[in-house]
Amino acid sequence: MTTGRNTVGDVFSAGAEEFHNWSRVLWDPVGEATADVAALAEGESVLDACCGAGASALPAARAVGAAGRVDAVDLADGLLAIGERRAREEGLANIRFHRHEVTSWPVPVPGYDVVQCGLGVFFFPDMDRDSAALTRMLSPEGRFVVTVWEKGALGGWQAALRGAVLTERDLPSPPQMEQLARIDTADTLAAWLTDLGGSEPRVVQRRFDAPLSPETGWALATGSGARRMLDGLSPAAVERVRAEFTARLTADSVTDLDVRVLTGTARFAG
């Protein structure tokens, strides 16, 4: 699969429809959990960083109401288009989707009441530096809300996919997985939020049922950041990976995605 795409935004745009196929059973429940922990109030302003197709931005817009505001920012054009379509279908007039590098997003004075980022901070080039930039977009005592995969989540699916790709190419450990490993437990996520300068850190664990088949598992592989594993492979090699992936899921009786996430929140001086 040669996409010619290098940025995270382009990777997700290339698999936008495959990504959206998982919205109902995966991305939307995770996004709703993110907005729930944010404890949004009527009239608040929200920056949804790495918003994708709006999984956490849309429930945020519902929560803050007509008097509130949600700026949803991402680099993936394909996902932003889906988010805009979903907002129109719901008649949500208080949300805007923007293609922009979120760490340099122009912040309205006096800042946002909430900055939230669902499953995104570990994709930043420098997780600490770039997350700190997001916290500076908050108004005084604003809340920073981050959702990440819990340690061990997606294990069966991930092992089958990685093992299948390794039959065709070497796979160095991606930087985002190394960054995620620093914050994938309740204790390490809370400590990280404190190290960023936050106070009153709180972490909530959620688990969701997400049935998995070889077909839906492959859609997730091509519609998520895992798509990068396939970059540069020929169409024939991609088909061999798919066949091997299917065989491994079947042999290991992997029929559930094992979705476990942690959502952490803390207050920042702004």
Side-chain angles (χ1 to χ4, degrees):
M1 178 180 293
T2 303
T3 66
R5 295 172 166 87
N6 297 311
T7 70
V8 171
D10 286 335
V11 169
F12 278 94
S13 278
E17 289 303 326
E18 293 92 340
F19 179 98
H20 187 45
N21 286 342
W22 273 93
S23 287
R24 184 179 60 83
V25 295
L26 177 58
W27 310 124
D28 287 352
V30 172
E32 287 159 8
T34 303
D36 181 59
V37 173
L40 299 162
E42 188 99 11
E44 287 194 309
S45 60
V46 180
L47 172 64
D48 191 292
C50 311
C51 67
S56 54
L58 295 171
R62 296 180 207 119
V64 300
R69 164 187 181 175
V70 177
D71 287 315
V73 181
D74 204 299
L75 288 173
D77 292 305
L79 295 182
L80 290 168
I82 293 171
E84 289 175 337
R85 183 181 76 213
R86 298 177 77 192
R88 285 196 305 272
E89 290 170 352
E90 283 198 48
L92 293 171
N94 61 344
I95 182 171
R96 295 290 182 272
F97 288 84
H98 312 270
R99 188 187 189 283
H100 203 282
E101 170 55 58
V102 71
T103 57
S104 61
W105 175 249
V107 183
V109 177
Y112 291 95
D113 297 303
V114 173
V115 173
Q116 60 183 28
C117 186
L119 304 178
V121 294
F122 44 87
F123 281 108
F124 288 146
D126 185 317
M127 184 173 70
D128 298 342
R129 178 198 67 198
D130 297 333
S131 297
L134 294 183
T135 68
R136 292 193 290 272
M137 299 180 186
L138 289 164
S139 62
E141 294 306 302
R143 289 109 64 204
F144 185 46
V145 184
V146 176
T147 295
V148 301
W149 299 113
E150 187 177 19
K151 185 174 183 178
L154 315 181
W157 169 83
Q158 195 168 65
L161 179 61
R162 188 172 180 82
V165 175
L166 282 169
T167 64
E168 296 288 336
R169 70 186 315 171
D170 290 333
L171 276 179
S173 180
Q176 62 264 29
M177 297 309 293
E178 295 175 5
Q179 295 197 123
L180 174 60
R182 296 175 42 218
I183 55 172
D184 63 0
T185 70
D187 288 344
T188 56
L189 180 55
W192 179 73
L193 289 167
T194 301
D195 289 343
L196 284 178
S199 62
E200 306 172 40
R202 180 170 69 97
V203 178
V204 177
Q205 189 225 36
R206 299 285 174 86
R207 184 167 189 164
F208 306 98
D209 291 325
L212 188 72
S213 69
E215 292 75 21
T216 60
W218 186 251
L220 183 60
T222 56
S224 68
R227 186 184 182 94
R228 276 187 163 176
M229 294 187 200
L230 306 174
D231 252 358
L233 294 178
S234 69
V238 171
E239 282 307 308
R240 290 194 297 270
V241 169
R242 179 173 185 165
E244 179 66 20
F245 170 68
T246 295
R248 287 170 181 255
L249 284 183
T250 302
D252 295 339
S253 301
V254 179
T255 58
D256 185 87
L257 191 59
D258 188 15
V259 181
R260 285 175 281 145
V261 295
L262 301 171
T263 301
T265 182
R267 291 189 177 274
F268 285 77

